[in-house]
Amino acid sequence: MSERAPAGGVAIVGSGYVGTVVAASFALIGHRVVGVESDPAKLRQLQAGRAPFHEPGLDELIERTAATRRLSFTDDLAAATEDCTVLFLSVGTPPSPSGQPDMGALKEVVEVLADHLRPGQVVVTKSTVPIGTGRWIASLVADRIATGGRAPVAFGVVSNPEFLREGHAVQDFLHPDRVVLGSDDISARRIVAELYEPILAQRIPGDASRRDRVPLLETRLATAEMIKYASNGFLAAKISFANEIARLCEYVGADVTEVTAGMGLDRRVGPSFLQAGIGWGGSCLGKDLQALLTTASEYGYRPRMIEASILVNIDQRQVVVDRLLTSLRTLRGARISVLGLAFKPHTDDTRDAPGIEICRRLIERDVIVTAYDPMVKSLDELPELRIASDPYAAAQGADALVLATDWSEFADLDLDQLRTQMSGDLLFDGRNMLDPDAVRTAGFRYLGIGRPEVGQPAGWIRLLPEPAPSD
Ligand code: UDX
């Protein structure tokens, strides 16, 4: 790309979790941003200053930046394309039966923008896309321009993977561990790096805290695309490893929460993503691992660690059902209460949620399942599931209670009240978040993941508070 980029703002195509967070955050750090959304209902909500999904802090950010007139939303992709310097693609790429993300929506967008691209503009992929998508976009656009009889347009393509976690998305975007920009075109990378400068320098309006400069990693296109997949693959592998160790802990009578605490104190291992439980869910980890498998199979290669991570995760959901079966003897006609339907706390997202999968498997065995979740109040995909308005109502008459999402409010449950509501005494802590002794004192039988079933003296690992930093 040799021409200078036209002066203009940023367009973000697709206003899902990623797109909306990126749009509002770029507006906060001073850019003029237009978010493009084709769904009329979502667009109306965004134009009224609200995100079409729950994400802490996002509504406030949209309202605040829209009031400065730096942030607006439209369904006019052509106008947004013509009026920007950098165009981010963050349209949905849901899993397809082939195992690779479905690129249909992305293709439609690329075809429209090809008709309106001008020299010097930069197209950035923000959605998680199969490796090679950057090149595919460049070829698609070039072909479309040629068949339309227009003169060739020099434009850049950059991969800028997003690592934000749902529930912490705004903070993750504004204070990332790293920014990755992949392109075989150095000047296109530079243009996008400039957009990120306030984030790289940690000069965030309204945030006076002092933080170190954020590392910027500039790579080739395919490398950046791979960094995203490899990161999610590794996070998933960490969780599955902890879950495998949990299974072994059950055999030998060890407590996995103390084992992983002991492992995590080794700086080479690190403490995060070692929490054993009923496994990972959500829209990203499973989809990305599946895409890695499919990519590998195109080359005739079997990535065994990735395969194993998926298999352990599938088993982990069944562990709950199997142990309920062993403990209750028969499941048909039993009443089981499930606390937590979201795939993790601080979100209403139920995509590939382990708790829901457990509800489904129990319902298939004719169990009467009543669930409660602080944010999920209905679930079309499982009409037989009863949803209660609070945890105690969900526990009414239950033979067993399963804790499936580690919402912090579940740590403060009144265990005595819960026990009184139930007809049985089994509490299955699928996230190892409760104190087994406190649960037993309230008259429950406690089952955790990878924790001894009978009470025993507390282990010797006690994590001391961090020493105060010396000046
Ligand atoms: C993930 C990645 O973390 C993020 O970088 C990427 O951009 C998108 O995918 P997210 O899907 O929001 O983010 O969820 P995350 O916080 O990673 O949790 C994924 C799942 O793993 C949840 O179901 C969570 O409950 C589970 N988990 C997480 C564990 O079971 N144990 C852990 O130690 C950590």
Side-chain angles (χ1 to χ4, degrees), residues 51-126:
F53 49 84
H54 173 77
E55 184 60 41
L58 187 56
D59 284 351
E60 294 79 352
L61 194 60
I62 295 175
E63 238 173 276
R64 187 172 151 197
T65 48
T68 63
R69 307 178 75 85
R70 283 201 300 270
L71 176 65
S72 59
F73 291 93
T74 180
D75 56 2
D76 191 343
L77 174 59
T81 306
E82 281 168 10
D83 192 36
C84 71
T85 306
V86 182
L87 188 137
F88 285 83
L89 298 175
S90 56
V91 292
T93 48
S96 73
S98 76
Q100 287 289 25
D102 180 345
M103 305 284 279
L106 194 64
K107 187 163 185 268
E108 276 177 34
V109 167
V110 171
E111 283 173 351
V112 175
L113 73 89
D115 294 339
H116 299 272
L117 267 188
R118 289 175 298 125
Q121 286 178 306
V122 181
V123 177
V124 185
T125 52
K126 202 80 181 129

Side-chain angles (χ1 to χ4, degrees), residues 163-164 166 228 273-275 280-281 284 343-344 431:
F163 303 102
L164 52 82
E166 290 180 21
K228 168 72 192 217
F273 275 72
L274 282 180
Q275 200 186 315
W280 82 72
C284 288
F343 83 98
K344 66 173 191 177
R431 295 293 179 180

